[in-house]
Amino acid sequence: MTLGLSTSLRLGAQRAGSRQSFDDSPAAMLGRLATAYLGYPNDSRARLSGVLRMLIQSDEDVGGTASDYLAIVNPGHTVEFTGSRKAVKAARAELDAWARTIYPEGGGLDGLANNQVIELLASPASSLEWYPDEERTRVQGVAVVPAERVRIGTDPATGERTFHQVGLTPAPIRLDPTTYLYAPLITMGGDPHGIPMFLSALRALDRKGRLIENTDRVIELMRQIALVGVELPMPTPQDFGLSSADDPRYAEYKRQYAEDAADMILGLAPKGLFVGPQGTKFTINNVTHSLGGIPDITQENNRRAWTGLHTTAFLRGHLDSTTEALAKVVYPMIEARATNIQAVIARQLEFGLNLHLRLRGIPAVAYVKFQQAESAFKQAEAEAYLTRMQAHKLGKEIAGAAYARRFADDLELSDDEDQHAPPWARDWGGAGEDAQASPGTAPQADQVRLTLAYHRRERAYHAVPIPAPEEAV
């Protein structure tokens, strides 16, 4: 596996230099900035994203890390609708019907979320066009627009962002922000295009490919090369039909005999079989090469590759120096990155869902939330949570009502949280059992919330307990 980045950089520099000599207009300069990354100024976004997509399919580290992120980012999702009872009921019916038709090649919204996880790893952004039917009464489908082929600009008349897809037709295709959303994961400076999450790993992965090739070459040489000592029995003059060693023909016969014997030995040597005239003695010494330094070089390069892939050694199966305590420290970092990816994909899915609801004339709002992957440290987290609650209890005893705000902030409790409790929680105890909700915090009577969780095995959405005590849909 060779990425050829160095060659591409040199050729790209030559091409860039030739372009600059002919066109240095501001528009041309902005066009070059829109198609290259700062770290690879003479390469193209399209080629580098293509390389990353190829590596996800062909490289074990890249593909394994992508699979890990799929499992962590999308363990499941829920869709929550808010609006009037009638609107929420209609929105649920639309979701049940829509989920069976949207993105059928990937398995609905869940498969689309998986697709977008990979897109954010290999391309600059989540880039989807939610196209309506001809009558504009519903979202008919969704098209994945490769983000590396989208150029973002500004409309000089209105000052609004413009999005153009290039490379599909001779002229760029303008994408309508009403139905198209470009959502990058990582942006830098004033460039709105974003960068792929795995971009920083390219150089280490290129070096990894060269290290593998060189290691295999040394191993092959160790298998093939050997020092062979041969001691041939030299015939006497009488064996050649000569009377004595003084015969001038004797030297010529010996030379010819040695050449024939060498041809016989070398003819079968590549197969590992050494055959010579009767009485030949062989001494074979295999050539040994030292591979002692290669593991250290490979390990250091792997560390660089994993850092660029935003993964850790223990997720790649290297547990030599990884303890459970260290895993508890570094794994939340992976989860934090996964949360950032979830936010981008949730924004994208919400865009499509709410566009569909608007086209259907349903006054409801949809929210998408991703579940959290099952933790490997449940006991430790439970103990930490118990300690946390004990600390809050002690804080209440010491500070009294003054501590309530800190407790609410820590648990992210809103002022009207008790009003959203499910019906079966009325008999629960607690400080707020007899508390009266303030007039401005009660939810409106005609507003309800419905949360639907996607079940992968059934490939359907099921309602979870409705958080409004007086409503049911």
Side-chain angles (χ1 to χ4, degrees), residues 241-307:
L242 303 177
S243 57
S244 68
D246 296 332
D247 191 311
R249 293 173 294 177
Y250 182 51
E252 178 64 21
Y253 288 163
K254 287 195 299 181
R255 184 187 65 79
Q256 187 63 41
Y257 169 81
E259 290 180 357
D260 294 341
D263 291 341
M264 180 187 299
I265 295 171
L266 295 177
L268 296 175
K271 298 181 180 181
L273 182 63
F274 296 96
V275 178
Q278 185 176 4
T280 303
K281 296 180 180 180
F282 293 96
T283 303
I284 302 175
N285 296 312
N286 290 323
V287 177
T288 59
H289 296 261
S290 175
L291 294 175
I294 292 182
D296 295 334
I297 297 175
T298 302
Q299 183 177 3
E300 175 62 20
N301 190 72
N302 285 343
R303 185 189 65 79
R304 295 172 182 268
W306 297 333
T307 300

Side-chain angles (χ1 to χ4, degrees), residues 116 119-120 123-128 147 181-185 344-345 348:
Q116 292 304 289
E119 284 296 289
L120 290 174
S123 71
S126 170
S127 172
L128 296 178
L181 179 62
Y182 186 94
L185 174 65
V344 174
I345 299 176
Q348 185 69 258

